Amino acid sequence: MRATTRNCAVVVLLLLSMATRGASAQTPFQVRDVNPGAGNGVGTFHLNGFGFAHDGLFYFRGTDLAGDRELWVSDGTEAETERVADLNPTASSSPSDFIALDPTRVLFRARHETDGVELWVSDGTAAGTSYVRDINPGSGGSFAGFGVELGGEVFFRATGPDGIEVWKSDGTFAGTTQVLDIFPGPTGSSPIGFVVAGGRLFFAANDTTANQELWTSDGTALGTQMVIDLNPTGSGGVSQLAEFNGEVFFRGDDGMTGDELWKSDGVTTVQIADINPGAASGDVTSLYAYDGFLYFVANDGIHGREIWRTNGTPGNATRVTDVSPGSGDGVFPSQFCGVGGVLVFSGQDGVNGRELWGTDGTTDGEFLLAEVQAGAPNGVEFQSLRCVAGIVMFMGDDGVNGDEAWMSNGTIAGTMPIADIGPGAANGVGFAPGFTELDGLVFFPANNGMNGYELWAVAPNAMAVPTVSPLGTLFLVVALALVAASRLRRRALGVTTLAAIFTAIASDASATILTFDQGSVSDRDPVDAGYGDDVEALVEGDFSYAVGPEGFTPNVTVSYGTAQPHLWTTGYGDLENVFFEDLDQTNFLEIILTANLGLAVALHGFDLVAYTNVFSNDPVIDRVTVASLGAILFEERDFAVSRTSHTSIDFGLEPLVAPTLVIQVDARNLQGLSDDIAIDNVRFGQTVPEPGTGPLLALGLLALGASTRKR
């Protein structure tokens, strides 16, 4: 067993954030009932953002009582939330794809009364809103969009007489022109991925000889050219373009090394790394620049899809996370958000569903910010993350309150639901809310169960002034000193040391031993759902328990997350009446200990044992963990379990402490023999921290425990 320590910078960040109390987001509010009554006033799916914020106004598509979808604006007040104009008197104009043209105006596309979906301009007033040009003559529409601003003009893709090509506009009829017919004829070059880097426009396009290669433009026909034919024998597959340090980074395939990470300044184009060596693809996606590095998702063929980063130098690409150990995908193509030195993302570790994670950017520096929904169901919608108002907002589902708006400041303590807008289990927000910020106010679509989906807003940084308790300050000083000392000595800071800090300043805990001596036990008896709850005596009816050397403990709730929790009498080493999972290969042992409100569970240890007759040697299981609120406090991987006696995991008088602790034993690697691993003699108790300091201390320990995992 060797100890590995997560980066101490994250520990410091977590501790500083958790040592506060009194912080809470402002209550979200409905800005206006755009469509009075139960009908939807705004849409529910906004993958590319909900509306657009510019020059003190939030532009969005609103639906009135007649079902007409037109251009609306809001400054965050009901009085100043109004329809700008009826752009299409005979039907809905359905405006979308807003982009800033200059300091006061936006370009967007909307359906014209006769010309189809075309380009429009607005300053947020009826007088300042006008139709720009019929780019594709007739009723077909150009569907202009997906553009970027450069030098006072917006460059975008649009369908015109020459097919889908690159166009530009300054907001006037005369100033809206096609840049170049890259692929002559009606087919078009189908440009994608517009990005500005080093003062030039970059994008991917097709011409008559090359398929989806890198192009650049200065805005003129003569200055528009292919940068490189990356794959002369096929498609370069250029996509995922992003600016970093004045250069464009992208995913490309040279025909020899698969889809990998490349960069170009418009003259020189080089590969950053062959992440999945050879012809196999590194499957690079989700490029995001933060804190001096470019982060992205890639697959090296060994670890599955995980987060990598580079400083932009060829040969410099490092895997940052291994959220799902082994070859499983831990991170899917996703949105990232950097906040407070932490890169926040959604990940899936193969045990829990898709949840909110963070990383400090160092190798294996990831940590679980929140297990929004316990167990295998997904708690976080990966397409919902948005960086707004200096925090992360996302859609979370805790399994009880439906889809709701959540926020995170990059710390465990600062990750929380904003409000239960949809009553009870009803969804309060949609699949991709597209949170959008205007001057500290975040707009999003929400449904309170009465008005349908309408325009809502919240000021997530309207926080109460945080305070730190004196004992909390002491805990921080001691803990941070130990962190610093561990770094100076290059030694791991153990969970037991951290627990010792807690127990030194909290009251002593007593312990009950959960023995599973449940009445007259027979093989494969189910475990009574209430067994272990609120113990008041060593013998209660048909239930019997044992007392540990620390004393006897009442008032802890015990539950069993195991799918088929059963008991077995003998045959498991030297133990009798043990608890096991009677479902081969697909589930794991799980015991959940929850203290009364204001108290904390203290876990002193437990025993594991293997069924003697089916193993010739002590079996090795995938892992054993103890977690709280999704953060892992203790972990053993490749753990050998005795078949002749038993194997004890003992924290002694330095227990793991938190309001809720989850013991999980994952033996699914044994496949059909996974039910031949059992648990017994769970020693637990309660602590009674000094008033007002218990939650702080538990969270502090949790944060430090999350940064230090025994392996």
Side-chain angles (χ1 to χ4, degrees), residues 22-59:
S24 60
Q26 179 204 52
T27 302
F29 60 96
Q30 181 176 290
V31 179
R32 177 169 173 174
D33 190 3
V34 174
N35 186 352
N40 293 339
V42 296
T44 61
F45 182 81
H46 304 278
L47 192 59
N48 295 314
F50 173 47
F52 187 74
H54 186 58
D55 191 29
L57 291 176
F58 176 67
Y59 293 76

Side-chain angles (χ1 to χ4, degrees), residues 160-235:
D162 296 325
I164 305 174
E165 291 290 356
V166 181
W167 285 66
K168 67 178 181 178
S169 178
D170 63 1
T172 68
F173 177 90
T176 301
T177 59
Q178 181 176 285
V179 175
L180 179 68
D181 186 9
I182 294 174
F183 196 123
T187 302
S189 63
S190 299
I192 60 171
F194 294 99
V195 66
V196 174
R200 293 187 63 86
L201 176 70
F202 289 89
F203 56 95
N206 309 309
D207 68 5
T208 55
T209 61
N211 186 13
Q212 201 166 328
E213 298 290 355
L214 184 66
W215 285 68
T216 187
S217 177
D218 63 0
T220 67
L222 289 176
T224 302
Q225 57 197 11
M226 184 168 63
V227 175
I228 185 173
D229 187 0
L230 196 63
N231 186 351
T233 62
S235 172

Side-chain angles (χ1 to χ4, degrees), residues 98-134:
F98 300 93
I99 185 170
L101 172 63
D102 57 36
T104 61
R105 297 183 299 165
V106 299
L107 284 177
F108 61 99
R109 68 185 188 189
R111 185 171 296 278
H112 186 269
E113 186 175 6
T114 59
D115 297 344
V117 178
E118 290 290 355
L119 192 66
W120 295 69
V121 65
S122 179
D123 64 359
T125 68
T129 302
S130 60
Y131 181 39
V132 176
R133 180 167 183 166
D134 185 10

Side-chain angles (χ1 to χ4, degrees), residues 387-411:
C387 303
V388 287
I391 61 162
V392 186
M393 286 185 65
F394 62 97
M395 187 210 80
D397 179 3
D398 62 6
V400 177
N401 297 302
D403 298 336
E404 295 291 351
W406 285 60
M407 63 176 282
S408 177
N409 63 1
T411 70

Side-chain angles (χ1 to χ4, degrees), residues 32-106:
R32 177 169 173 174
D33 190 3
V34 174
N35 186 352
N40 293 339
V42 296
T44 61
F45 182 81
H46 304 278
L47 192 59
N48 295 314
F50 173 47
F52 187 74
H54 186 58
D55 191 29
L57 291 176
F58 176 67
Y59 293 76
F60 68 101
R61 181 175 63 211
T63 303
D64 62 16
L65 193 58
D68 192 17
R69 296 182 296 277
E70 294 293 345
L71 178 64
W72 286 63
V73 293
S74 176
D75 67 354
T77 67
E78 182 177 13
E80 297 299 325
T81 300
E82 56 191 2
R83 189 173 76 172
V84 175
D86 186 4
L87 305 182
N88 187 343
T90 61
S92 294
S93 67
S94 300
S96 65
D97 285 85
F98 300 93
I99 185 170
L101 172 63
D102 57 36
T104 61
R105 297 183 299 165
V106 299

Side-chain angles (χ1 to χ4, degrees), residues 483-526:
V483 169
S486 72
R487 294 198 67 179
L488 290 173
R489 299 180 189 133
R490 298 184 179 179
R491 294 176 56 190
L493 188 61
V495 170
T496 52
T497 302
L498 302 172
I501 300 171
F502 187 96
T503 52
I505 54 180
S507 66
D508 293 335
S510 53
T512 297
I513 302 178
L514 191 63
T515 61
F516 301 104
D517 295 325
Q518 181 176 314
S520 178
V521 177
S522 299
D523 292 343
R524 281 201 169 85
D525 276 354

Side-chain angles (χ1 to χ4, degrees), residues 513 571-576 578 605-612 618-619 639-650 676-683:
I513 302 178
Y572 280 85
D574 60 359
L575 300 181
E576 295 183 0
V578 297
F606 51 92
D607 295 335
L608 296 178
V609 64
Y611 195 65
T612 304
D618 291 348
F639 187 72
V641 180
S642 174
R643 57 178 286 276
T644 56
S645 55
H646 64 271
T647 302
S648 294
I649 294 178
D650 188 13
D676 292 306
I677 302 296
I679 190 171
D680 198 6
N681 299 325
V682 181
R683 278 200 303 135

Side-chain angles (χ1 to χ4, degrees), residues 26 72 77 90 97 133 153 194 268 294 338 359 363 404 415 473 486 547 591 614 671:
Q26 179 204 52
W72 286 63
T77 67
T90 61
D97 285 85
R133 180 167 183 166
E153 297 176 307
F194 294 99
T268 303
L294 183 70
T359 175
T363 301
E404 295 291 351
T415 303
T473 303
S486 72
V547 62
I591 297 177
V614 300
Q671 299 185 6

